Amino acid sequence: MPDIAASTVHLPPGTWESVLDCLCAHFATVGRVQWLDRMARGRVLDDAGQPITPATPYRAGLCIRYWREVADEEPIPFAETILHLDQHLLVADKPHFLPVTPAGRFVEETLLARLVKRTGNADLVPLHRIDRLTAGLVLFSTRPDSRAAYQALFRERTIEKRYEALAPPLPEPVFPLVRRSRIVAGEPFFRMHEVDGPPNSETRIEVLVRGAGDWRYALYPHTGRKHQLRVQMAGLGAPIRHDPLYPVLMAEAPDDHARPLQLLAQALAFDDPLTGERRRFESARTLESPLAPHSTLS
């Protein structure tokens, strides 16, 4: 079965006798027994693909490829859907709470790992990311030789992205509203915030439904800053429902599956760089019933 791509590390300068000693010192949270187990299963290689053993001598700058693993990884009880698959692209409809790529405590319970296992294609690479707490569309490249053409859609901002969100009313602004602001890293490191200065983010905001409680908004990000939509909506005074980071950082707690972030990557549209064909994909998910099962679009 194909595997997700390995992580890499170049060994830093030091006086260790073996690669094993260096890895144990460099990754303080991974124990020696875990490294020995990975080596025994061929999960630690050099850049030529040769297995690293406990006796492999240390050399500064040596490139090591290894596969991240998390013991007793908690399953995420929601399934992704493949909306489209051809020789160049895969379009996935991601549930809330599922990360796109391995990070932190998530390795196997990620959209990428699940799709590699389902399709048998180890060349899958996400062309963009959405937050773990956000549901909706993620576009993947299925092969290296056409990847750059599709990556350019995001780099050159020629792909149209549409999100939906539930958030408190904003009765004062005239819609559609264009929010331009400067977003930079804040404290803690994983939170972003708006500051004075030249704008580096832009989103067009429309109102779809003026509800008795929350309103339903359509959000069209022109740029792709980290947490852009969440930060900008909070900055306007309408934080997205169930957001644990904005405007106030909530105490760390297990995921509450009954209260998913009410943000959905609802649609992607673009001119195919290989064929010129106009393509549009829409999520089958809705914000009203985030825990309901979803079917694949034909």
Side-chain angles (χ1 to χ4, degrees):
M1 177 66 68
D3 214 331
I4 59 175
S7 299
T8 60
V9 62
H10 289 81
L11 300 187
T15 58
W16 298 281
E17 292 186 1
S18 68
V19 170
L20 174 61
D21 292 336
C22 178
L23 291 174
C24 290
H26 188 69
F27 296 97
T29 60
V30 182
R32 192 177 190 89
V33 172
Q34 290 174 275
W35 284 116
L36 288 169
D37 177 63
R38 291 185 192 181
M39 290 178 180
R41 291 182 287 115
R43 306 284 285 177
V44 186
L45 310 174
D46 64 19
D47 55 357
Q50 296 301 306
I52 298 296
T53 73
T56 302
Y58 159 82
R59 175 167 57 84
L62 180 65
C63 180
I64 300 297
R65 301 172 59 234
Y66 66 97
W67 281 262
R68 297 182 65 250
E69 298 174 347
V70 175
D72 301 321
E73 188 172 355
E74 182 179 354
I76 295 172
F78 307 112
E80 73 287 348
T81 303
I82 296 176
L83 299 183
H84 174 85
L85 176 61
D86 62 32
Q87 62 178 330
H88 298 288
L89 292 176
L90 183 155
V91 183
D93 203 355
K94 185 185 84 67
H96 292 95
F97 304 107
L98 184 70
V100 173
T101 56
R105 68 184 191 274
F106 302 103
V107 176
E108 297 298 328
E109 287 297 286
T110 64
L111 183 60
L112 176 59
R114 288 183 179 185
L115 292 175
V116 167
K117 290 178 180 178
R118 286 182 61 176
T119 64
N121 183 0
D123 287 328
L124 284 179
V125 170
L127 293 167
H128 63 119
R129 312 288 174 89
I130 62 176
D131 296 341
R132 182 178 78 85
L133 298 182
T134 302
L137 301 186
V138 183
L139 192 63
F140 286 79
S141 164
T142 64
R143 52 193 290 176
D145 59 351
S146 60
R147 186 163 299 149
Y150 291 100
Q151 289 172 328
L153 295 172
F154 294 89
R155 183 176 65 252
E156 297 170 6
R157 300 174 183 171
T158 55
I159 189 165
E160 298 171 15
K161 296 173 284 185
R162 182 184 190 274
Y163 287 71
E164 288 190 6
L166 297 182
L170 284 171
E172 295 301 327
V174 176
F175 291 94
L177 167 69
V178 176
R179 177 76 166 185
R180 298 183 181 93
S181 61
R182 184 166 189 81
I183 297 177
V184 299
E187 293 292 340
F189 69 92
F190 52 83
R191 291 184 81 229
M192 310 297 287
H193 68 137
E194 292 178 310
V195 298
D196 294 334
N200 61 5
S201 64
E202 179 180 318
T203 303
R204 187 173 89 254
I205 304 170
E206 299 177 358
V207 179
L208 298 176
V209 178
R210 288 171 163 83
D214 286 335
W215 285 5
R216 181 180 300 275
Y217 296 88
L219 310 175
Y220 300 88
H222 180 62
T223 54
R225 310 299 297 184
K226 178 180 178 181
H227 295 175
Q228 176 175 318
L229 303 180
R230 299 164 67 179
V231 170
Q232 290 185 328
M233 289 298 289
L236 285 168
I240 296 172
R241 188 201 296 178
H242 304 326
D243 193 333
L245 298 184
Y246 306 101
V248 177
L249 177 62
M250 306 298 288
E252 186 173 357
D255 290 336
D256 184 348
H257 294 154
R259 293 169 58 85
L261 177 70
Q262 292 298 286
L263 180 62
L264 173 69
Q266 193 271 331
L268 293 170
F270 57 92
D271 293 329
D272 191 288
L274 301 185
T275 67
E277 173 190 3
R278 185 63 176 174
R279 311 186 77 171
R280 179 180 174 85
F281 302 100
E282 294 188 3
S283 172
R285 303 179 187 276
T286 65
L287 294 178
E288 291 90 349
S289 53
L291 302 187
H294 306 281
S295 59
T296 303
L297 291 181
S298 58

